[in-house]
Amino acid sequence: MRTSDDIRAIGERIKPRELANWHDLLGAEPHVASTEGDWRVIGKIESAFKNMGLKTKVHEFWALLPRPISAVLQIVSPESRDLILKEKILEEDLATSHPELDPGWNAFSGSGAVTSEVVYANYGRKEDFAKLKELGVDVRGRIVIARYGGNYRGYKAKFAEEAGAAGLIIYTDPGDSGYAKGLVYPEGGYANETCIERGSLQTLGYSGDALTPGVEATKDAKRLDMDKVGLCTIPVQPIGYGAALEIMKRMQGKGVMEEGSTRAWQGGLPVPYRFAGGEALRVRLKVVQDREIRRTANVIGVLEGAVEPDRMIVVGCHHDAWGFGACDPLAGTITLMESARVLSELAAGVKRPRRSIAFCAWGAEEYGIIGSSEWVEANRDMLATDAVVYFNLDMAAMGADFGSSAGPSVRGAIAKVAGDVPQARATETMVLDAWKKRGSDALDATLPAFGDLGGGSDHVGFWCHVGVASAGFGAGGSPGTSYHTIYDTLPWYRKIVGDDYEPARMITHVAAGCAQAFANETLVPLDPATMVREFRRHLRDISARGVSAGVWPAASADAPSVEGLPAVCEALEQVDREAIETHGLLAATVKAWREKAIDERTTAEELNDLNARLLAMDRAWILTEGLPDRPWFKNLFAAPDRDSGYAPWILPLLRHVVEEKDAGGAEAAIKSYRDVLRSLRELAEVPG
Amino acid sequence: MRTSDDIRAIGERIKPRELANWHDLLGAEPHVASTEGDWRVIGKIESAFKNMGLKTKVHEFWALLPRPISAVLQIVSPESRDLILKEKILEEDLATSHPELDPGWNAFSGSGAVTSEVVYANYGRKEDFAKLKELGVDVRGRIVIARYGGNYRGYKAKFAEEAGAAGLIIYTDPGDSGYAKGLVYPEGGYANETCIERGSLQTLGYSGDALTPGVEATKDAKRLDMDKVGLCTIPVQPIGYGAALEIMKRMQGKGVMEEGSTRAWQGGLPVPYRFAGGEALRVRLKVVQDREIRRTANVIGVLEGAVEPDRMIVVGCHHDAWGFGACDPLAGTITLMESARVLSELAAGVKRPRRSIAFCAWGAEEYGIIGSSEWVEANRDMLATDAVVYFNLDMAAMGADFGSSAGPSVRGAIAKVAGDVPQARATETMVLDAWKKRGSDALDATLPAFGDLGGGSDHVGFWCHVGVASAGFGAGGSPGTSYHTIYDTLPWYRKIVGDDYEPARMITHVAAGCAQAFANETLVPLDPATMVREFRRHLRDISARGVSAGVWPAASADAPSVEGLPAVCEALEQVDREAIETHGLLAATVKAWREKAIDERTTAEELNDLNARLLAMDRAWILTEGLPDRPWFKNLFAAPDRDSGYAPWILPLLRHVVEEKDAGGAEAAIKSYRDVLRSLRELAEVPG
């Protein structure tokens, strides 16, 4: 088959040595967004793209990018003790002594000082603060200490602030990543007692620059008032578990194991965890950051298509990091660079792709998915019309176990490519086989188990704002994590993930193979029918969730009807019936189109129309006015979880109804989904 | 109903104040078997029984009871450090400063000194040593460090010795009992860093005195050669987790988390656990104990029956401890004393029971279930003929959540009594209701979930050696454990279990109520049919276990037959068919006997015969020659697990076949069970 040959040709050109070179090039120094190191990385990527013959552009933007000024964390009583806010320098990894490495900090912390008692809030999730309230543990005016995990750290700060806390300390628990998981760095890959997870706290109703939602963050863009967008106001400081132990071991209140419902709050520190520290333990937290608008940039390199140059496959990964970024983002960025190198080499030597492929190295992802969101906002209309698909590679090559979270309409095409890519560190095994061994799709055993695409990286603008079919690629399984610490270095990567660059070779092969397939197949390999099938699956889930939350009765319930609610059940059944019909129509239609696409009598205009319709079918899920309370998110199929950040809300309009227990809003939400289905059916009707 | 009235009358006489007094009386000082404190406790129980008007006897015996002389545990290199081998004395519990408290020790440790590298062996179970062997971790000549839990500690020593270890350190892991479970003593009830679990290492093919298996350990009994009975020869030392951490944190080998199959080996200490310590870490262990034959005693107080004085209900709990023994054994012993007080008071005031009730405070249980075993051996023929039932109370009143492990033939009667006993710390709830809420019997929803009776306490002689129907009572749910530490004090008990003595009130009520029911009902309330029903359930389990172990094929397998094996399947099916028939016969027969027992025309001789038959039906499960390799264990229904000690092997002849993969032995084993069933059917045939 033609495609398999293409994929083989790609594979032959990918070089582990080149991947290691990209890593050396981009991971040579810390490169936090907007710093001098960041600009040197931008320059290196620009040169590389130009050397490949790509049409290259440095897309500058001006975003709110805070920088740390100072921070202090002290135990004030019962004795005085300063806690360490930076990682220890390691002889075994002298990169850790680089002078440009920042101490531990959380971007967008409030600036200020507070001295108070402490309260432990487990992972600082919505339900954790609700539990503290239920137990009568007063958080007001206190410094909350919460462990990393369970949600996006910005929500820990948001919920702490909403609960009235005066400050927040976030620490890495050794039960989640540390000695309880394996050997610690530098002996092994897990967090030692000084490891501090940096990261942003930005939690707004949109991705991208905090001050320019919906528009490009140009130098002169009209900006919102910084004090009114809802940034964090309390001081927030991340620490390692060595420092956390100093606080936790001095706490004196009731133990979490004394409540049956909070037994899982006990972590891996060698003390009984407690809800409150008591009066005797007082802690002082002072954090100072600036909040400046700073300049950084995306680097875009386009391999122009020969037949449909306006239609664009977008492959992206950010380039900014909290330190050296050997894993985050470079474990992905190097596969972006190598994909670009290999595909441009093939295009020069064989022939240009049918459609254009844009390779995008995003800036300032770490602060709030900023660079990609600004580029999407700047190119919204073009993308809505012409973007075929977006592939995201953030931190992709972290091990040999391949996985993907993807919109349903691209899953089949990805699986097909994975069936032609050799599995890393194996012989005579393809990625698809190894992947399926770890789990199959619940409804289609020929597919591997894909994840649902939520928030957390640069696909968000494409997928949630514009409705471009998207997928993230990744591969894990290595024993450790240096996530957002100063230990995210090349020595860490080469020791823990390996220095064979086999995972990066595999990721590059899948990513470049998918880009090639979407660029070259006459009819783009999008699959709108599977999107509807998944809609039905999630409709069942959300119906059950609504029943168990008491928002609406079970469809078959004989319980006395609550006014209006039987109508919800009927409407849910109605939309499901329409989905069955729509699924059948789309499956048959796209099958016919595929046959038409290989029929020589089909004209270029007809083909162009069919491709436009397939792209429009993904965009049919876009609701122009967006989701309630966060209109920037417009995709009715998926959005980031409003209360945790990373996980997805699937069918977010209906999910919103369930979470708000707003049964009255159910019918309007269901109507929106019926509109989507009607649009899909209309798109399937080719006139003449 | 008459029985409910009796149980109410018992309940009215049980006094929490009396239970607290028994606790003060018996928990006033350490009383390790054969010490002066032990003899003072024996004297106190003897006086108490006499004051109750019981026919009282101090049954002395002479058993191998080692005493600790000295022990040293040191880290020799990379630096020198002595490790602490006793608990810290607590101001909050000055009982902990008593001069008669021993440092931490394990009775029956070998005496000797060894300096070596260390190897971590998880719980020191058979499968843990097999895993070390599979991984190529050399145990030979090394000092093994293993954590408590998962098996009887004697097996840790046995398997370590068999693997060639030169010494063994056993520690309490904080993940199993310590800060990870809750607040630690004296603030809470869990193990602090110095807590050391004492206990015996005796693992022989019999219970009781090591040198006099099968016969009473009188002063002049013929004794085996101490060096030939298979006692432990390597030094073994228990330690707390503070001392364990000093060793574990200096280990340098491969981490247990690096092997997928050993991830559960990671415990709660704040270091990554490793298989081997490496050459740099050397530890010195020296243990010296004597091995003397010492005198101690059981105290037996008999409330004589008025109608069938030879027939005996036996209620027992040991009196010896490793320290103060406030929980182990006194949380049970006080309920034995109060049961005796209440029932003798009732007998004096109302009327004597129909049958005799023996209250037994056993000696030297802690060393190897010695006192009860010696008494059983001394009275084997009497018990085989006349013992109706044995109830064991070891550590019974440890919380409000009642439970029982019991032979199937007594379960119904226990549940009936529990239905008339008020639940501790509740109003208008009976023990049976609360108990059933925690779980029901798999085959009979009217019964609560009983445990299967294995080894580990004083029921073993009655149940496993003679075949007397037995049950153990207990109640838990309190937040902590002071098991075998010097913190097993009255202050610990009153702080953690409570000072209301409601659990002890409840246990006394159930135990005395059960004793009363078995003593007074005209026909003893034994239920041989349920024993057969349980036999069938366990036969299915063991059949499946044999299939999955590859010992015999699945009954329905179409696989090519292995010679002899289809015969096993047929024999299993045959014995099951006979069990169905036997169950039906017994159920109908006993029902008829119960009607006959309340028929005024039934003569005393007839009644006597029916009662004798019911007792004989329990004894029908006894195999005179005993189990393979351990003939002292003769009950074909249940035995202690040969490889772990505490858990039961049900249908041990068949289990032995499965564990040994001895398919050839299956038919003989099955024949033994067919013989049991035939005996049961014969006993059901009343002549004339």
Side-chain angles (χ1 to χ4, degrees):
Chain A
M1 244 195 80
R2 177 62 220 296
T3 312
S4 296
D5 291 345
D6 280 0
I7 292 173
R8 194 170 308 116
I10 291 169
E12 283 163 5
R13 286 169 189 266
I14 300 170
K15 297 282 180 291
R17 186 63 247 158
E18 295 284 348
L19 285 156
N21 287 345
W22 293 123
H23 223 174
D24 285 333
L25 181 74
L26 303 178
E29 63 178 330
H31 46 110
V32 178
S34 85
T35 63
E36 291 179 17
D38 183 45
W39 277 104
R40 279 188 287 271
V41 164
I42 290 166
K44 289 172 182 175
I45 296 171
E46 182 189 13
S47 299
F49 280 173
K50 283 183 172 164
N51 287 342
M52 296 172 197
L54 301 177
K55 192 170 147 192
T56 303
K57 188 175 174 196
V58 173
H59 170 243
E60 295 189 348
F61 55 91
W62 284 256
L64 184 61
L65 300 176
R67 288 285 299 146
I69 295 171
S70 67
V72 177
L73 179 61
Q74 299 168 308
I75 293 170
V76 173
S77 69
E79 61 251 286
S80 175
R81 189 185 182 105
D82 276 4
L83 300 180
I84 303 293
L85 302 182
K86 55 186 175 188
E87 288 92 342
K88 59 185 175 189
I89 292 169
L90 301 173
E91 275 182 36
E92 297 87 342
D93 181 356
L94 285 173
T96 59
S97 66
H98 197 288
E100 294 299 317
L101 287 166
D102 294 315
W105 68 297
N106 286 126
F108 293 102
S109 164
S111 288
V114 55
T115 301
S116 182
E117 298 174 29
V118 300
V119 169
Y120 171 63
N122 195 23
Y123 291 113
R125 299 168 301 181
K126 194 174 189 181
E127 58 266 39
D128 296 327
F129 283 100
K131 177 58 71 177
L132 286 174
K133 188 169 182 184
E134 177 194 324
L135 296 174
V137 179
D138 197 355
V139 172
R140 288 172 301 173
R142 306 271 157 84
I143 296 173
V144 165
I145 180 165
R147 50 179 169 161
Y148 269 113
N151 61 2
Y152 166 62
R153 72 188 79 71
Y155 286 93
K156 300 177 200 290
K158 179 177 156 79
F159 298 138
E161 190 170 329
E162 286 175 1
L168 172 66
I169 299 162
I170 315 179
Y171 79 99
T172 301
D173 194 283
D176 300 314
S177 168
Y179 48 71
K181 292 292 181 187
L183 304 182
V184 307
Y185 201 60
E187 186 188 11
Y190 288 93
N192 68 37
E193 77 284 4
T194 69
C195 281
I196 303 175
E197 182 184 319
R198 288 150 190 76
S200 174
L201 302 173
Q202 184 173 304
T203 49
L204 303 168
Y206 45 91
S207 281
D209 174 40
L211 305 183
T212 61
V215 299
E216 185 184 359
T218 58
K219 188 170 186 183
D220 306 318
K222 192 176 167 207
R223 287 182 155 75
L224 300 178
D225 181 342
M226 199 182 297
D227 297 331
K228 292 183 180 162
V229 295
L231 297 173
C232 181
T233 63
I234 60 173
V236 180
Q237 178 63 43
I239 60 175
Y241 58 79
L245 178 59
E246 295 300 324
I247 295 173
M248 303 282 275
K249 76 182 185 188
R250 289 177 172 82
M251 292 175 73
Q252 287 292 344
K254 185 177 177 185
V256 300
M257 301 298 280
E258 294 177 62
E259 286 286 332
S261 59
T262 55
R263 296 178 68 86
W265 289 36
Q266 178 74 29
L269 288 171
V271 290
Y273 286 33
R274 302 160 191 268
F275 298 110
E279 290 179 15
L281 175 62
R282 294 182 68 77
V283 169
R284 176 165 182 266
L285 171 63
K286 182 181 177 193
V287 177
V288 183
Q289 293 180 7
D290 73 22
R291 279 186 177 169
E292 300 286 333
I293 293 163
R294 293 187 160 89
R295 184 181 63 118
T296 181
N298 305 313
V299 189
I300 315 289
V302 177
L303 178 60
E304 287 206 289
V307 182
E308 302 173 48
D310 290 346
R311 291 225 171 92
M312 187 177 280
I313 284 75
V314 187
V315 188
C317 182
H318 69 98
H319 61 69
D320 67 308
W322 289 119
F324 287 89
C327 300
D328 184 7
L330 299 182
T333 324
I334 62 173
T335 69
L336 172 77
M337 301 308 290
E338 184 68 355
S339 295
R341 189 188 68 76
V342 166
L343 290 180
S344 55
E345 199 176 279
L346 271 172
V350 187
K351 71 169 179 31
R352 304 196 72 74
R354 180 181 179 92
R355 304 182 187 92
S356 295
I357 305 175
F359 301 95
C360 306
W362 308 117
E365 188 271 354
E366 292 294 357
Y367 278 84
I369 315 177
I370 295 180
S372 57
S373 298
E374 297 309 322
W375 192 77
V376 166
E377 288 173 346
N379 297 282
R380 189 185 300 114
D381 294 345
M382 177 276 281
L383 293 168
T385 308
D386 289 327
V388 177
V389 66
Y390 175 70
F391 295 120
N392 195 51
L393 293 168
D394 194 2
M395 290 190 79
M398 292 299 295
D401 301 341
F402 184 85
S404 172
S405 293
S409 64
V410 294
R411 293 181 179 180
I414 293 168
K416 199 170 159 209
V417 170
D420 284 323
V421 172
Q423 167 63 30
R425 297 173 185 159
T427 50
E428 314 219 349
T429 306
M430 294 296 152
V431 169
L432 183 63
D433 305 324
W435 184 9
K436 279 177 67 178
K437 268 193 191 154
R438 291 190 297 277
S440 293
D441 185 276
L443 298 175
D444 179 352
T446 71
L447 288 182
F450 280 85
D452 290 314
L453 205 55
S457 192
D458 291 301
H459 57 273
V460 170
F462 294 88
W463 173 237
C464 300
H465 187 58
V466 183
V468 177
S470 298
F473 298 137
S478 300
T481 171
S482 54
Y483 184 67
H484 289 194
T485 72
I486 71 162
Y487 302 139
D488 186 3
T489 59
L490 295 178
W492 187 97
Y493 184 91
R494 287 168 181 166
K495 174 162 191 170
I496 304 304
V497 179
D499 59 4
D500 61 354
Y501 285 85
E502 264 286 287
R505 192 271 306 150
M506 173 178 72
I507 290 285
T508 307
H509 202 168
V510 174
C514 285
Q516 180 93 331
F518 277 84
N520 278 356
E521 290 190 23
T522 328
L523 197 70
V524 293
L526 291 167
D527 174 13
T530 294
M531 194 97 165
V532 176
R533 192 193 67 188
E534 288 292 296
F535 167 75
R536 290 193 62 221
R537 185 167 73 85
H538 290 293
L539 190 68
R540 281 194 295 280
D541 290 351
I542 204 90
S543 297
R545 193 184 281 269
V547 170
S548 65
V551 182
W552 47 64
S556 60
D558 298 322
S561 69
V562 181
E563 199 182 340
L565 290 187
V568 174
C569 293
E570 273 173 36
L572 284 167
E573 284 169 26
Q574 171 68 16
V575 72
D576 190 49
R577 280 194 297 274
E578 292 178 11
I580 294 172
E581 183 202 330
T582 309
H583 177 264
L585 176 69
L586 293 184
T589 301
V590 175
K591 184 158 180 276
W593 290 359
R594 300 236 173 272
E595 282 159 13
K596 194 166 182 181
I598 55 172
D599 185 334
E600 289 179 3
R601 292 165 299 179
T602 305
T603 65
E605 289 69 28
E606 284 173 316
L607 246 185
N608 189 53
D609 176 59
L610 298 184
N611 274 322
R613 284 169 186 272
L614 281 171
L615 268 52
M617 283 174 172
D618 274 319
R619 253 62 95 201
W621 295 88
I622 289 294
L623 181 70
T624 312
E625 65 265 37
L627 300 181
D629 309 331
R630 41 178 188 166
W632 192 86
F633 292 95
K634 299 180 189 299
N635 191 333
L636 291 185
F637 190 86
D641 184 330
R642 188 196 58 186
D643 301 325
S644 88
Y646 289 135
W649 271 11
I650 306 293
L651 311 189
L653 261 193
L654 281 167
R655 181 68 185 267
H656 183 270
V657 165
V658 170
E659 296 294 324
E660 297 293 316
K661 297 189 193 298
D662 171 30
E667 282 183 82
I670 293 166
K671 183 180 173 303
S672 294
Y673 287 99
R674 294 182 61 187
D675 290 345
V676 171
L677 296 173
R678 197 181 51 248
S679 299
L680 289 170
R681 290 194 300 274
E682 286 169 5
L683 286 163
E685 303 291 336
V686 182
Chain B
M1 242 197 84
R2 179 60 221 297
T3 310
S4 295
D5 290 345
D6 279 359
I7 293 173
R8 195 169 309 116
I10 291 169
E12 284 163 5
R13 286 169 190 266
I14 300 170
K15 296 280 179 291
R17 186 62 247 158
E18 295 283 348
L19 285 155
N21 287 344
W22 293 122
H23 222 173
D24 286 332
L25 180 75
L26 302 179
E29 63 178 331
H31 47 110
V32 178
S34 85
T35 62
E36 290 179 18
D38 184 45
W39 277 105
R40 279 188 287 269
V41 164
I42 290 166
K44 288 171 183 176
I45 296 172
E46 182 189 13
S47 298
F49 281 173
K50 282 184 172 162
N51 286 341
M52 295 171 197
L54 300 178
K55 193 171 147 192
T56 302
K57 185 172 173 198
V58 174
H59 171 243
E60 295 189 349
F61 55 91
W62 284 256
L64 184 61
L65 301 177
R67 289 285 299 147
I69 294 170
S70 67
V72 177
L73 180 60
Q74 299 168 309
I75 294 170
V76 173
S77 70
E79 61 251 286
S80 174
R81 188 185 183 105
D82 277 4
L83 300 179
I84 303 293
L85 302 181
K86 54 187 176 186
E87 289 93 342
K88 60 185 174 187
I89 292 168
L90 301 172
E91 275 181 35
E92 297 87 342
D93 180 357
L94 285 172
T96 60
S97 66
H98 196 289
E100 294 299 316
L101 288 166
D102 293 317
W105 68 297
N106 286 128
F108 293 102
S109 165
S111 288
V114 55
T115 301
S116 182
E117 299 175 28
V118 300
V119 169
Y120 170 63
N122 195 25
Y123 291 113
R125 298 167 301 180
K126 194 173 188 180
E127 58 265 39
D128 296 327
F129 283 100
K131 176 58 72 178
L132 287 173
K133 188 169 184 184
E134 177 194 325
L135 296 174
V137 179
D138 197 355
V139 172
R140 289 172 301 172
R142 305 270 158 85
I143 295 173
V144 166
I145 180 165
R147 52 178 166 160
Y148 269 114
N151 62 2
Y152 167 61
R153 72 189 78 73
Y155 286 93
K156 301 176 199 291
K158 178 177 157 80
F159 298 138
E161 189 170 329
E162 285 174 2
L168 172 65
I169 299 163
I170 315 178
Y171 78 100
T172 300
D173 194 282
D176 300 314
S177 169
Y179 48 71
K181 291 293 180 186
L183 304 182
V184 307
Y185 201 60
E187 187 188 10
Y190 289 94
N192 69 38
E193 77 284 4
T194 69
C195 281
I196 303 175
E197 181 184 319
R198 289 150 188 77
S200 175
L201 303 173
Q202 183 172 305
T203 50
L204 303 168
Y206 44 90
S207 281
D209 175 39
L211 304 184
T212 61
V215 298
E216 185 184 0
T218 56
K219 190 170 186 186
D220 306 317
K222 193 176 166 207
R223 286 181 157 75
L224 300 178
D225 180 342
M226 200 182 295
D227 296 331
K228 292 183 179 162
V229 294
L231 296 173
C232 181
T233 64
I234 60 174
V236 180
Q237 179 64 42
I239 61 174
Y241 58 78
L245 178 59
E246 295 300 325
I247 295 172
M248 303 282 276
K249 76 181 184 189
R250 288 177 172 84
M251 292 176 73
Q252 288 292 342
K254 185 176 177 185
V256 300
M257 301 298 280
E258 293 177 64
E259 286 287 333
S261 59
T262 55
R263 296 177 69 85
W265 289 36
Q266 178 74 29
L269 287 170
V271 291
Y273 286 34
R274 302 159 191 269
F275 299 110
E279 290 180 13
L281 174 62
R282 293 182 69 77
V283 169
R284 175 165 183 264
L285 172 63
K286 182 182 177 194
V287 177
V288 182
Q289 293 180 7
D290 72 22
R291 279 186 178 169
E292 300 286 331
I293 292 162
R294 292 187 160 88
R295 184 181 64 116
T296 180
N298 305 313
V299 188
I300 315 290
V302 177
L303 177 60
E304 288 207 290
V307 181
E308 303 174 49
D310 289 345
R311 293 224 170 92
M312 188 178 278
I313 284 75
V314 187
V315 187
C317 182
H318 68 99
H319 62 71
D320 67 307
W322 289 118
F324 287 89
C327 301
D328 185 6
L330 299 182
T333 324
I334 61 173
T335 68
L336 172 75
M337 301 308 290
E338 184 68 356
S339 295
R341 189 189 68 77
V342 166
L343 290 179
S344 55
E345 199 176 279
L346 271 172
V350 186
K351 71 168 175 45
R352 302 197 74 74
R354 179 180 179 92
R355 303 182 188 92
S356 294
I357 304 174
F359 300 96
C360 306
W362 308 117
E365 188 271 353
E366 291 295 357
Y367 278 84
I369 315 179
I370 296 180
S372 58
S373 299
E374 297 309 321
W375 192 77
V376 166
E377 289 174 346
N379 296 282
R380 190 186 299 114
D381 294 344
M382 178 276 281
L383 293 168
T385 310
D386 289 327
V388 177
V389 63
Y390 175 70
F391 296 119
N392 195 50
L393 294 169
D394 195 1
M395 289 190 78
M398 292 299 295
D401 301 341
F402 184 85
S404 172
S405 293
S409 63
V410 294
R411 292 180 180 180
I414 293 168
K416 198 171 159 210
V417 170
D420 283 323
V421 172
Q423 166 63 31
R425 297 173 185 160
T427 49
E428 315 220 349
T429 307
M430 293 295 152
V431 168
L432 182 64
D433 305 325
W435 184 9
K436 280 177 66 178
K437 268 194 192 154
R438 291 190 297 277
S440 291
D441 185 275
L443 297 175
D444 179 352
T446 70
L447 288 183
F450 280 85
D452 290 315
L453 205 56
S457 192
D458 291 300
H459 57 274
V460 170
F462 293 89
W463 174 235
C464 301
H465 187 58
V466 182
V468 176
S470 297
F473 297 137
S478 300
T481 171
S482 55
Y483 184 67
H484 289 194
T485 72
I486 70 162
Y487 302 139
D488 187 3
T489 59
L490 295 177
W492 187 98
Y493 184 92
R494 287 168 180 165
K495 175 164 188 167
I496 305 304
V497 178
D499 59 5
D500 60 356
Y501 286 84
E502 264 285 288
R505 192 270 307 150
M506 173 177 73
I507 290 284
T508 306
H509 202 169
V510 174
C514 286
Q516 179 93 331
F518 277 85
N520 277 356
E521 290 190 21
T522 328
L523 198 69
V524 292
L526 290 168
D527 175 13
T530 294
M531 194 96 164
V532 177
R533 191 193 69 189
E534 287 293 297
F535 167 75
R536 291 193 62 221
R537 184 166 74 85
H538 290 293
L539 189 69
R540 281 195 294 279
D541 290 351
I542 204 90
S543 298
R545 192 184 281 268
V547 170
S548 64
V551 182
W552 47 66
S556 60
D558 297 323
S561 70
V562 182
E563 197 183 341
L565 289 187
V568 173
C569 293
E570 273 172 37
L572 284 167
E573 284 168 25
Q574 171 67 18
V575 72
D576 190 50
R577 280 193 299 273
E578 291 179 11
I580 294 173
E581 184 203 330
T582 308
H583 176 263
L585 176 67
L586 292 183
T589 301
V590 175
K591 185 157 179 277
W593 290 358
R594 301 233 174 274
E595 283 159 12
K596 193 166 182 181
I598 54 174
D599 185 333
E600 290 180 1
R601 292 165 301 180
T602 305
T603 65
E605 288 70 27
E606 284 173 317
L607 248 183
N608 188 52
D609 176 59
L610 298 184
N611 275 321
R613 284 170 185 271
L614 281 170
L615 267 52
M617 283 175 172
D618 274 318
R619 252 63 95 200
W621 294 88
I622 289 294
L623 183 69
T624 312
E625 64 264 37
L627 300 181
D629 309 331
R630 42 178 186 164
W632 192 85
F633 293 95
K634 299 179 189 299
N635 191 332
L636 290 184
F637 190 87
D641 184 330
R642 188 196 58 185
D643 301 325
S644 88
Y646 290 135
W649 270 10
I650 305 293
L651 311 189
L653 260 192
L654 282 167
R655 181 67 183 268
H656 185 269
V657 165
V658 171
E659 296 294 324
E660 296 293 317
K661 299 191 193 297
D662 171 29
E667 284 183 79
I670 292 166
K671 184 181 172 301
S672 295
Y673 288 100
R674 293 181 62 188
D675 289 346
V676 171
L677 296 172
R678 196 181 51 249
S679 298
L680 288 170
R681 291 193 300 274
E682 286 168 5
L683 285 163
E685 303 290 336
V686 182

